[in-house]
Amino acid sequence: MTPTSSTLFLLTWSAACHALALYIFMNGFLLTRQALDIRSLPLSNPWQDFPISNQTRLQVDTVPPNASSLPSVFNTLLQASSFSRLSITYPTSHPRPFQKLILVLIDALRFDFLLTYPFSAATPLPPYQNNLPLVHQLRQQHPTRSLLYQYRADPPTTTTQRLKAILTGSLPTFIDAGSSFATSAVGEDHLLRHARDKWERIYFFGDDTWTHLFPDVLSDENRTFPYESFKLFDLHTVDSGVQSHLFPLLFNSTTTSSSWDVIIAHFLGVDHCGHKYGPSHPTMREKLLEMNGVLERIVGFVDEETLLVVMGDHGMTTEGDHGGESEEELMSGLWLYSERELTLGGFGGDDGDDGRWYWRDLHTRIHSSRARTLHYDHAAITSRLAYDAASPLYPIVSQIQLVPTLSYLLGLPIPFGNLGAVIPDVVFARPPPADSPAAGSRLANLFHLIETARINALQVHTYLLKYAAAGERSHGFSRAQLEPMFESLYEAEREVEQLADTRAFEAWVGGAKLDQGQNEEMGETLEKIFFLYDAFLLRTLKHCQYHWAQFDVGCMMSGVALLALSVAVGVSLFYEGNTKGHTEWVLKRARDGAVVGLVVGLAVASAAARTVMVEGWFEKMGTIGWVGMGVTGGSLVGVLMGWVREWAHAVMRKVRDGIEAPMSWAFAGRGPLHITLITLLSHALTLASNSYILFEDRVVRFVIASVAIYLAILAAARAGDARTILRDAFAPALVFLLYTRLTALTGVCREEQYPYCSYITNSQLRLWDSDGWTVVLWAWFVMVVMLGAASVLPWYLKRKIVGAAVKGGKTTNDRFFDAYTIMLHLLVARWIWIIWLNSVTPQSAVEAGAEEEYHAIDSETLRGGGADVAGDEADLAETWGFMMANELFEVYVPLVVYIGGIALAVLGAWQGSAWDVAEVQEAEVAKEDVVVVGGCENEANNEGKVQESKEQGVEYTRCEAGVIVLSRLRPLFWIILVSISLLLATVQRPLGGLLIVTFPVILSQIIRLSAASSSSRQNHQTLSTRLILLHFFGHHLFFTTGHQATVPAIHWEAAFIGFHEMHYYTGMCLVVAATLAGWMISWAGWAIVVVEEERRKAWPEPEMALVHNGGVSEVVTGMEKEIGEVKQHKVQDAHPLQTLIASTYLLILAHALPAFFGALFITILRRHLMTWKIFAPRFLLQCMLLVGVDVAVVAIWCAVGVVGARWGRDKDRVKTR
Amino acid sequence: MSFLAVSLSSLLANAAALFYIPSKPLLEDPVVCLQTTTAVLFIANLVVGLVRYEARQENSSLSAKAATVSLATGATIAGTVVIHTFAILFGAPLIEKFRNTFMFALYVSLLTVFPATCVLRADPDAWLRVFAEHRPTSRAEKSIYFPTIFTIFGAWLGAIVIPLDWDRPWQAWPISCVISAFLGHSLGLVAGTIASYLHVDEDSKKAGKMRSE
């Protein structure tokens, strides 16, 4: 095996290890729930599909049986049904649904804020209590018109997740598979959708999260008034804005008939007050009293047809924050109010009415049964929040129970994906006559209750069946796993069937009076049936909670362990990887280990899997997981064990015989190597902190500055005199840092960074007529730089790559640079077009993309002022010139650059190694008699002298992929870099594109940093540090090209660049390329830094060469210094590509290390409140990077192999000639 | 003995100037606080500079002292500009908080450049040997080498806490860096004192003899 191909094998193996480790980790980590965007339909009657058993309804879509073929029981049931007697549009609903809804959401309204405690002078109340007296007051006055609940959220307690749950009735997951990543919109059936079907006039005021989540409903800008939710320290803007729109609407509707159907008002003041001051601050009292005033005014507009819902979406901790799962955060309040009776039970009044007592008791029993099943810990809540959580006055309901309840009360179908069970208190067909609490009406109401429960159960059943049928990824939702849950549903249906068959029931349906005994018996049966339906709903909920919100810690830990092993191997490769022969050795070890691992993996998968599998552990592993883990783990452990043994032997020999280890494991004198590793490690450790991830753009800049200064100090220590220090040590570092700092002015802020963030964004760039002259200035500056780059770059790069001395006539490289120039000009023209377009577009029209959202200032003025300009723009957009230009720059220019760039890369790479690179030739000629790396005679480099070196045939073949290829690799890598910079720049926004295209210039600065020292050997020691600087510079480019590690910051528009319509996979590639552009270009530059370094080393300055001629070891890589000194033959055997190989390991390590730590931290912090917002997106980015870098190095080494092979063939041809 | 006295007095002066003398506490208004601090430090530095080197022959004349002190003042101003630039390169805001950055730079410059210039004066070789090659050779050089290096390292390290979301007043720029520079300086003084006590070479032996005479 040639060194190139064995390296390629090793890289592929390591890539496979990473991929498998990530696969296993992701299996355990990603909570996958299919979001089924299916709209639920109103049922034809509550007994549709009766009776459900495990034989029926295998196919959900079957046509309901004909009425004629229905069993008689079904007819009886239909007769009994309270629905069938009322002919209204939606037959499956409340007998008298509410016509209007006012939904008031007070963000972070913790439950105890709603309570009114008896006043006592001795213990002063905290500022958050007794400030919403209205609720208590109305409950006292009309106990049956007002219902109060403890409203329990499912973590995470963030507003977005809560709103989703409140309106869809489902549970939260990070990635709802199947939903579109591009929008934050809810991709499932939700209540507002059904409300929209029924009502036209839906008004919304408040937190703009709503308009992001439900753009399909809340899009009418005359009825929707969103406010930014991220200005955490502003207590009043949103609230006063809501009030300024809400009350005029309400007042106007009294004079005219009614101008609204649904009003949604979301107040943020309480939440912001909590974040700013915490709950125990006097401001909280003011804010809550303000809310009380708002509610008092709203209550005045509530009539018999209006339902008022007041609720919080989550609570707050004692510090006033939320997002996690403490009791303080989970418990918010829900209060329903109307002018009509809302319940048959109800507390508050003290009439000893028998009927009320019965319902009260029944409701309490239902609630406590639910609390028991769902494990609500009343004692814990009481101890944390100091109210009696077990009190029947305000039972605990889950947030998702509101959806079916509202559906019922408003007469709407229950949203398709709902998992909640209807709140029983509000379910009744007709109020009992005031004079005689007739038992008959009790039965009717009970029957109505089980009908409602059945509708609910039917919807959940349908959902489960559809869900089971929908996805292969739906773990835990196979028919077999669902069947046990259905048991209680089947039983309920059977009970109903039996009941409907009894004579007493038929008599009751017929209107006959039943006697006391029959009455009670039937009441008991109906209750029992209700509880069976309810049990089904609760079991379903628990099942889903378990499967969707459960990480598979076993899988996660296995993935982390595999990553840890591969990082350990990576570190040892980094330290040892440039010693000759190790590649084959590692591969052999890996192969042996893999065989053992395969056997173990198979054994575990087949036999032990079931015993290892405990609750939630290794459930999602699967056979592939076990086998993959066995193979990967086995091979990694095999390699590590080999190393440990070698090291142990070396130590033993050293101790026993005093013989220096043949392998270099002396750590002394490797300062820069350790610094490299420490830098990487420190950065990887910052992934444990949400703050560092939030401000990673700044962290990276700090790291870059630190590393650059470190390099400068190192160089200064060797420089000798002040001029050299300034010129060689600090000047390149300063230029590099100035460039970094200047480019750091652009980027995009992530929402959490406000208010500590202000970047110049692309959308701000305007050539005239802007809010600030600085931005105009910037735009012109950027334009000038672009034009300058377009004219200077080709010349500069040509000089850099080919050298100044170019012979006359058009050569291959001339044509290459001509093509490059043309494409560069096209790109610059496109960017200037975009900036111009931006300048003629009114600011309000630019609303797409994450970065602009937070800059939209005063929406009122923008809307007013933007209208005329928008009109102008519409006119402009219709002119044919505009359309042509748009077409040209949006589609054809990028397309030309794509094709041209790829062609350049391929053709250039193919021919580039044959370039007449003046410098190389000169160097080759000049250093004829210098012994170069790896014991290859330099003569071998020179094709003209091949004949003379015939006798060195063996040596020659061994070196063919070595020095020669190395010198030929340089143009290859430059060509790849330049072509890729064009391709990557195309998918960027103008500023980012400019940065990408000028990257080769800054790369040469990094190379110059290496020139800082007078000794090339010392230079070589810092090679790894310089490479790591390049790595972080790639990271910096990620931010400056307008990216952040969040989903909203992804440049989705990149998918359309160069195409009329989006092609799925192409689009995906373009978006990935746009996101990872910074790193990808740094990977391309990576090889160049190494090759330039090797070139300097291979052709040192004449006076240095003399020194090097004497001691071979001196010339060889600094990393090999120790080996060189101890065993010279080792050095002579070392392959000339070893430095490139070693630096490739470093590149992989640079991404594997953060991936490992990211996985480790996210396993530890998987229940952290910022997991999904901060840690998970960052980790996913890291995974993409790891996979990306693995692909990239394999590709690079393929190219190296191809070039090597081609040169081998050329040599053969020369030889035979 | 004089090194101990100098170290002790500059430590105390620094602590007093930073935490006790200013009318506004550092945490409340770093800019106003540092204005007082730097003024006090400047005076203290002048005094220390004059006291410290009078044992050396060439510094004994008043004009030489005045020249050294004015050189140190000039170097401190230049150092402030350089440190300010580097603070910005490391990520300090460009325009807003300009005064904070400037006061930080001035503070660090007073802790490092001023005493260093008092010792090394305008001798580029000495500067290179001490700070580029890290080879301080005399007691005086060691006594400024360690505080300088430690101060700069501390000022660098202090930035690490800034992004954390702990909402502590000392996380505001440049308070954490000022405090850690102060801590670094104090530590450096201790290290420098120890190093100059352990220091044995011809120079110091001679100096010791001269002192004992």
Side-chain angles (χ1 to χ4, degrees):
Chain A
M1 238 188 322
T2 67
T4 316
S5 60
S6 66
T7 306
L8 202 51
F9 267 109
L10 187 73
L11 295 175
T12 317
W13 166 66
S14 113
C17 288
H18 293 150
L20 270 165
L22 290 181
Y23 168 78
I24 290 170
F25 184 86
M26 287 301 181
N27 259 358
F29 176 60
L30 285 186
L31 311 175
T32 41
R33 176 168 71 85
Q34 308 273 124
L36 303 176
D37 197 359
I38 301 173
R39 180 184 279 248
S40 62
L41 299 168
L43 300 176
S44 57
N45 65 69
W47 297 101
Q48 187 176 312
D49 295 336
F50 181 83
I52 302 170
S53 71
N54 62 8
Q55 263 70 48
T56 57
R57 281 176 64 81
L58 285 173
Q59 291 291 315
V60 191
D61 298 319
T62 47
V63 190
N66 287 332
S68 55
S69 67
L70 288 176
S72 61
V73 176
F74 185 80
N75 283 325
T76 324
L77 286 172
L78 277 190
Q79 265 185 317
S81 171
S82 50
F83 297 133
S84 55
R85 293 183 206 134
L86 294 153
S87 58
I88 46 174
T89 345
Y90 288 102
T92 59
S93 60
H94 195 277
R96 187 185 150 208
F98 286 93
Q99 295 307 312
K100 292 190 285 181
L101 169 70
I102 304 178
L103 201 154
V104 177
L105 203 153
I106 300 175
D107 209 291
L109 182 72
R110 199 166 74 192
F111 181 70
D112 54 342
F113 296 179
L114 282 163
L115 290 179
T116 299
Y117 292 87
F119 179 75
S120 76
T123 50
L125 289 166
Y128 51 82
Q129 272 172 4
N130 284 18
N131 292 323
L132 286 168
L134 177 77
V135 177
H136 182 68
Q137 205 180 313
L138 286 175
R139 270 166 68 81
Q140 291 290 324
Q141 281 172 12
H142 311 287
T144 53
R145 289 183 192 175
S146 137
L147 292 168
L148 182 65
Y149 298 99
Q150 300 173 60
Y151 198 36
R152 190 179 171 90
D154 297 298
T157 48
T158 52
T159 300
T160 312
Q161 301 286 355
R162 291 303 91 229
L163 288 183
K164 274 191 195 179
I166 288 171
L167 290 169
T168 63
S170 193
L171 298 170
T173 51
F174 176 52
I175 295 174
D176 295 340
S179 70
S180 165
F181 279 123
T183 66
S184 49
V186 167
E188 287 175 284
D189 199 17
H190 56 83
L191 194 69
L192 287 185
R193 216 184 247 180
H194 294 288
R196 161 108 277 173
D197 287 349
K198 188 168 175 181
W199 292 300
E200 178 68 18
R201 294 164 300 180
I202 300 178
Y203 284 84
F204 169 75
F205 318 103
D207 187 336
D208 59 357
T209 313
W210 286 76
T211 50
H212 295 156
L213 287 177
F214 310 108
D216 47 343
V217 176
L218 304 176
S219 55
D220 184 350
E221 50 175 67
N222 297 321
R223 297 199 172 110
T224 307
F225 303 93
Y227 290 86
E228 278 179 46
S229 54
F230 295 114
K231 291 178 182 157
L232 281 186
F233 297 105
D234 174 4
L235 267 56
H236 301 295
T237 308
V238 178
D239 288 5
S240 44
V242 171
Q243 291 179 50
S244 70
H245 287 110
L246 173 64
F247 289 115
L249 180 69
L250 287 173
F251 275 113
N252 288 342
S253 59
T254 48
T255 50
T256 66
S257 58
S258 169
S259 53
W260 56 273
D261 299 311
V262 175
I263 290 178
I264 300 166
H266 188 147
F267 292 93
L268 278 173
V270 174
D271 181 50
H272 286 190
C273 179
H275 283 299
K276 191 173 180 184
Y277 300 112
S280 304
H281 190 276
T283 320
M284 187 59 91
R285 172 175 294 139
E286 288 168 26
K287 207 69 222 178
L288 287 171
L289 285 174
E290 182 192 334
M291 287 299 113
N292 193 58
V294 169
L295 290 181
E296 271 176 356
R297 289 174 75 183
I298 292 175
V299 162
F301 297 98
V302 174
D303 55 23
E304 286 215 347
E305 292 307 318
T306 310
L307 177 66
L308 171 66
V309 180
V310 177
M311 61 184 173
D313 53 347
H314 48 72
M316 60 171 76
T317 62
T318 43
E319 280 79 41
D321 297 319
H322 59 88
E325 44 189 307
S326 70
E327 301 293 350
E328 290 96 330
E329 291 159 276
L330 294 182
M331 304 313 288
S332 64
L334 170 67
W335 180 54
L336 304 176
Y337 176 77
S338 175
E339 274 292 288
R340 72 160 97 144
E341 304 270 293
L342 273 176
T343 179
L344 291 175
F347 292 85
D350 54 351
D351 47 347
D353 175 344
D354 179 41
R356 287 235 351 238
W357 182 87
Y358 170 78
W359 288 108
R360 228 184 268 173
D361 177 60
L362 177 66
H363 295 154
T364 307
R365 274 187 290 143
I366 295 171
H367 284 300
S368 55
S369 123
R370 288 181 181 179
R372 226 177 11 255
T373 321
L374 297 174
H375 305 298
Y376 293 151
D377 189 347
H378 293 114
I381 301 169
T382 306
S383 73
R384 297 290 281 275
L385 284 168
Y387 63 83
D388 180 12
S391 162
L393 288 170
Y394 32 79
I396 301 179
V397 300
S398 169
Q399 259 184 2
I400 55 173
Q401 290 182 11
L402 184 68
V403 178
T405 310
L406 280 185
S407 297
Y408 169 76
L409 288 173
L410 301 175
L412 303 172
I414 302 175
F416 181 77
N418 163 62
L419 293 172
V422 70
I423 299 174
D425 311 36
V426 295
V427 183
F428 62 97
R430 57 208 117 143
D435 48 339
S436 65
S441 88
R442 176 190 297 176
L443 284 186
N445 283 324
L446 268 177
F447 191 74
H448 179 80
L449 181 62
I450 68 164
E451 276 185 331
T452 311
R454 187 180 186 277
I455 292 170
N456 202 176
L458 194 64
Q459 169 261 324
V460 171
H461 186 249
T462 310
Y463 173 65
L464 288 177
L465 290 184
K466 283 262 186 193
Y467 189 87
E472 60 283 1
R473 281 190 66 82
S474 41
H475 292 283
F477 287 87
S478 67
R479 241 347 249 250
Q481 278 165 300
L482 291 177
E483 212 54 54
M485 289 187 331
F486 293 159
E487 274 314 317
S488 45
L489 177 63
Y490 300 152
E491 200 186 333
E493 297 279 285
R494 279 197 299 275
E495 289 280 344
V496 172
E497 208 173 349
Q498 279 173 19
L499 176 73
D501 227 10
T502 57
R503 212 164 300 145
F505 186 79
E506 273 168 32
W508 175 68
V509 172
K513 271 229 168 229
L514 302 181
D515 61 41
Q516 187 69 18
Q518 280 175 317
N519 245 335
E520 278 183 11
E521 193 187 333
M522 211 163 105
E524 273 171 29
T525 319
L526 286 172
E527 275 180 30
K528 186 179 159 199
I529 293 168
F530 174 82
F531 278 105
L532 282 171
Y533 280 125
D534 210 43
F536 163 66
L537 291 173
L538 296 180
R539 272 190 85 169
T540 306
L541 180 62
K542 284 182 75 179
H543 185 86
C544 294
Q545 264 173 352
Y546 177 75
H547 281 280
W548 290 338
Q550 205 66 34
F551 298 105
D552 190 328
V553 185
C555 286
M556 290 173 79
M557 286 187 169
S558 311
V560 171
L562 287 182
L563 282 172
L565 286 174
S566 64
V567 163
V569 169
V571 171
S572 44
L573 279 174
F574 168 60
Y575 276 114
E576 303 284 1
N578 60 345
T579 23
K580 158 85 179 167
H582 256 119
T583 316
E584 272 100 16
W585 181 83
V586 167
L587 280 174
K588 212 159 65 197
R589 289 248 144 223
R591 190 195 57 207
D592 296 350
V595 171
V596 177
L598 178 69
V599 175
V600 174
L602 278 174
V604 173
S606 59
R610 268 168 232 302
T611 50
V612 181
M613 221 169 84
V614 261
E615 291 280 281
W617 285 63
F618 301 111
E619 238 181 5
K620 298 176 183 170
M621 200 71 146
T623 315
I624 303 171
W626 284 115
V627 174
M629 183 170 165
V631 173
T632 320
S635 59
L636 288 168
V637 168
V639 174
L640 278 180
M641 269 165 58
W643 249 311
V644 168
R645 215 175 55 194
E646 293 233 342
W647 286 336
H649 281 182
V651 172
M652 290 289 282
R653 265 202 302 279
K654 176 94 194 278
V655 169
R656 216 174 37 213
D657 314 327
I659 297 173
E660 198 68 50
M663 298 177 63
S664 61
W665 87 306
F667 275 62
R670 289 175 160 191
L673 255 67
H674 305 318
I675 290 288
T676 304
L677 214 53
I678 289 169
T679 312
L680 274 179
L681 194 66
S682 341
H683 175 254
L685 287 176
T686 62
L687 296 183
S689 154
N690 49 339
S691 316
Y692 286 128
I693 296 178
L694 280 188
F695 288 98
E696 200 171 9
D697 42 357
R698 271 150 256 205
V699 171
V700 165
R701 233 173 288 149
F702 190 76
V703 172
I704 287 180
S706 306
V707 174
I709 295 294
Y710 168 76
L711 283 171
I713 290 173
L714 268 195
R718 304 186 292 243
D721 65 294
R723 280 257 315 273
T724 324
I725 287 186
L726 283 183
R727 196 192 61 213
D728 287 351
F730 278 94
L734 214 60
V735 170
F736 178 66
L737 287 184
L738 279 173
Y739 178 82
T740 311
R741 189 65 180 85
L742 185 73
T743 51
L745 293 173
T746 175
V748 68
C749 304
R750 53 189 291 167
E751 57 175 83
E752 299 93 337
Q753 287 182 333
Y754 291 101
Y756 307 107
C757 184
S758 59
Y759 278 126
I760 296 161
T761 59
N762 287 289
S763 57
Q764 282 177 318
L765 289 183
R766 263 151 233 279
L767 298 172
W768 62 86
D769 185 33
S770 171
D771 291 340
W773 58 270
T774 41
V775 184
V776 176
L777 218 60
W778 270 112
W780 282 100
F781 173 71
V782 169
M783 283 256 292
V784 170
V785 173
M786 277 174 180
L787 292 172
S791 49
V792 174
L793 261 179
W795 167 81
Y796 178 85
L797 286 176
K798 194 166 171 180
R799 230 197 63 180
K800 203 78 209 161
I801 302 171
V802 199
V806 186
K807 291 161 215 126
K810 286 258 171 189
T811 56
T812 328
N813 46 44
D814 284 330
R815 281 196 290 279
F816 176 85
F817 282 107
D818 287 346
Y820 172 74
T821 314
I822 292 169
M823 284 191 276
L824 184 65
H825 285 186
L826 282 177
L827 277 185
V828 169
R830 174 176 137 79
W831 293 331
I832 290 175
W833 159 259
I834 292 176
I835 294 179
W836 178 79
L837 200 62
N838 209 15
S839 310
V840 296
T841 313
Q843 277 174 333
S844 61
V846 190
E847 265 168 11
E851 58 183 49
E852 293 84 1
E853 260 170 47
Y854 309 106
H855 292 293
I857 317 141
D858 188 354
S859 58
E860 280 300 307
T861 51
L862 282 183
R863 232 175 241 137
D868 321 332
V869 198
D872 292 348
E873 205 226 343
D875 295 342
L876 180 69
E878 278 164 23
T879 60
W880 64 270
F882 178 92
M883 280 157 75
M884 292 267 287
N886 199 38
E887 185 83 357
L888 178 71
F889 285 116
E890 286 302 319
V891 180
Y892 294 107
V893 165
L895 214 53
V896 165
V897 181
Y898 291 151
I899 297 168
I902 293 170
L904 270 191
V906 174
L907 292 177
W910 190 245
Q911 298 183 337
S913 41
W915 277 14
D916 295 322
V917 182
E919 239 175 67
V920 175
Q921 280 189 339
E922 276 169 29
E924 282 176 1
V925 174
K927 310 289 182 305
E928 256 169 46
D929 45 12
V930 174
V931 178
V932 203
V933 204
C936 297
E937 298 295 314
N938 193 42
E939 290 153 307
N941 291 338
N942 202 323
E943 286 175 47
K945 305 204 172 169
V946 165
Q947 303 294 346
E948 293 166 28
S949 58
K950 241 183 183 170
E951 66 274 16
Q952 297 177 329
V954 183
E955 193 85 337
Y956 183 80
T957 323
R958 193 157 50 74
C959 293
E960 74 182 340
V963 175
I964 306 159
V965 167
L966 202 64
S967 70
R968 299 303 172 180
L969 282 178
R970 186 177 158 270
L972 169 77
F973 288 149
W974 274 107
I975 287 164
I976 291 179
L977 176 78
V978 168
S979 328
I980 278 191
S981 77
L982 281 178
L983 287 176
L984 291 178
T986 319
V987 289
Q988 297 299 328
R989 294 168 184 168
L991 281 172
L994 182 63
L995 292 178
I996 294 288
V997 114
T998 52
F999 175 80
V1001 180
I1002 204 66
L1003 183 70
S1004 58
Q1005 285 305 311
I1006 299 181
I1007 295 169
R1008 254 192 78 200
L1009 260 178
S1010 69
S1013 150
S1014 53
S1015 151
S1016 62
R1017 204 198 74 208
Q1018 281 171 321
N1019 263 340
H1020 216 84
Q1021 285 194 330
T1022 63
L1023 177 63
S1024 64
T1025 321
R1026 265 176 284 131
L1027 287 173
I1028 234 52
L1029 186 65
L1030 180 64
H1031 165 74
F1032 284 110
F1033 188 71
H1035 204 151
H1036 171 69
L1037 279 181
F1038 168 75
F1039 294 115
T1040 51
T1041 49
H1043 295 89
Q1044 287 284 355
T1046 56
V1047 176
I1050 296 175
H1051 295 184
W1052 298 108
E1053 81 273 7
F1056 297 91
I1057 295 176
F1059 297 94
H1060 277 111
E1061 54 206 57
M1062 199 186 85
H1063 307 280
Y1064 189 77
Y1065 291 104
T1066 324
M1068 211 163 70
C1069 289
L1070 291 178
V1071 171
V1072 169
T1075 309
L1076 301 187
W1079 278 290
M1080 285 163 92
I1081 199 131
S1082 84
W1083 299 337
W1086 195 271
I1088 292 178
V1089 173
V1090 178
V1091 170
E1092 291 283 350
E1093 183 65 30
E1094 289 294 282
R1095 194 168 71 113
R1096 197 206 327 277
K1097 191 187 66 188
W1099 295 283
E1101 299 86 66
E1103 70 269 26
M1104 299 300 294
L1106 289 175
V1107 181
H1108 290 156
N1109 227 347
V1112 176
S1113 62
E1114 291 288 304
V1115 208
V1116 190
T1117 71
M1119 298 178 205
E1120 293 172 52
K1121 191 180 122 214
E1122 295 81 7
I1123 329 154
E1125 280 162 0
V1126 180
K1127 299 239 167 187
Q1128 267 207 359
H1129 73 271
K1130 270 265 165 201
V1131 179
Q1132 284 173 347
D1133 280 348
H1135 193 272
L1137 286 177
Q1138 286 298 357
T1139 312
L1140 195 57
I1141 294 175
S1143 65
T1144 309
Y1145 296 149
L1146 175 62
L1147 178 57
I1148 296 172
L1149 185 64
H1151 291 284
L1153 200 68
F1156 159 61
F1157 278 106
L1160 178 69
F1161 295 140
I1162 214 163
T1163 310
I1164 298 168
L1165 300 171
R1166 61 187 181 277
R1167 293 296 183 194
H1168 190 276
L1169 62 98
M1170 288 296 166
T1171 301
W1172 298 112
K1173 223 170 170 203
I1174 296 177
F1175 291 106
R1178 179 67 184 81
F1179 176 66
L1180 291 181
L1181 173 70
Q1182 195 58 50
C1183 294
M1184 272 170 71
L1185 281 174
L1186 185 56
V1187 174
V1189 80
D1190 281 332
V1191 172
V1193 294
V1194 169
I1196 287 178
W1197 277 91
C1198 281
V1200 171
V1202 167
V1203 170
R1206 181 154 181 264
W1207 275 88
R1209 274 205 306 281
D1210 286 359
K1211 291 287 175 259
D1212 291 341
R1213 233 178 293 139
V1214 174
K1215 264 189 242 171
T1216 49
R1217 223 196 304 142
Chain B
M1 204 60 211
S2 79
F3 281 114
L4 184 63
V6 166
S7 298
L8 207 64
S9 59
S10 61
L11 204 155
L12 288 177
N14 194 1
L18 193 55
F19 298 115
Y20 297 106
I21 299 173
S23 53
K24 282 251 180 182
L26 179 66
L27 291 183
E28 210 173 277
D29 191 340
V31 174
V32 175
C33 169
L34 282 175
Q35 277 167 359
T36 319
T37 306
T38 46
V40 172
L41 266 186
F42 180 64
I43 294 165
N45 263 332
L46 282 183
V47 174
V48 168
L50 294 176
V51 170
R52 188 179 196 169
Y53 307 111
E54 67 184 4
R56 293 177 70 163
Q57 289 168 328
E58 63 266 49
N59 271 11
S60 51
S61 78
L62 193 68
S63 63
K65 276 184 219 162
T68 309
V69 161
S70 51
L71 180 72
T73 312
T76 306
I77 293 166
T80 308
V81 174
V82 171
I83 293 170
H84 191 119
T85 312
F86 273 94
I88 288 173
L89 289 180
F90 270 80
L94 196 62
I95 296 159
E96 72 257 40
K97 299 212 174 181
F98 180 88
R99 294 196 308 154
N100 298 38
T101 314
F102 183 79
M103 290 320 292
F104 162 75
L106 182 59
Y107 177 74
V108 174
S109 189
L110 273 171
L111 289 187
T112 56
V113 178
F114 198 103
T117 318
C118 283
V119 172
L120 303 172
R121 281 176 291 157
D123 178 5
D125 288 339
W127 279 93
L128 281 184
R129 181 168 38 74
V130 175
F131 289 114
E133 295 169 20
H134 306 280
R135 280 195 293 117
T137 48
S138 69
R139 282 191 158 194
E141 280 173 6
K142 281 191 180 171
S143 73
I144 51 121
Y145 171 75
F146 286 98
T148 304
I149 296 292
F150 276 56
T151 307
I152 288 174
F153 189 73
W156 173 77
L157 210 61
I160 283 172
V161 295
I162 295 177
L164 290 170
D165 60 351
W166 298 343
D167 282 334
R168 297 282 171 265
W170 44 262
Q171 281 178 287
W173 169 248
I175 300 174
S176 64
C177 289
V178 166
I179 292 175
S180 61
F182 165 77
L183 291 177
H185 184 249
S186 312
L187 215 63
L189 281 177
V190 174
T193 312
I194 294 171
S196 49
Y197 264 93
L198 296 178
H199 181 83
V200 268
D201 66 2
E202 298 307 306
D203 254 42
S204 67
K205 270 175 200 161
K206 268 182 226 157
K209 265 178 211 156
M210 277 193 312
R211 257 207 305 283
S212 61
E213 277 161 17

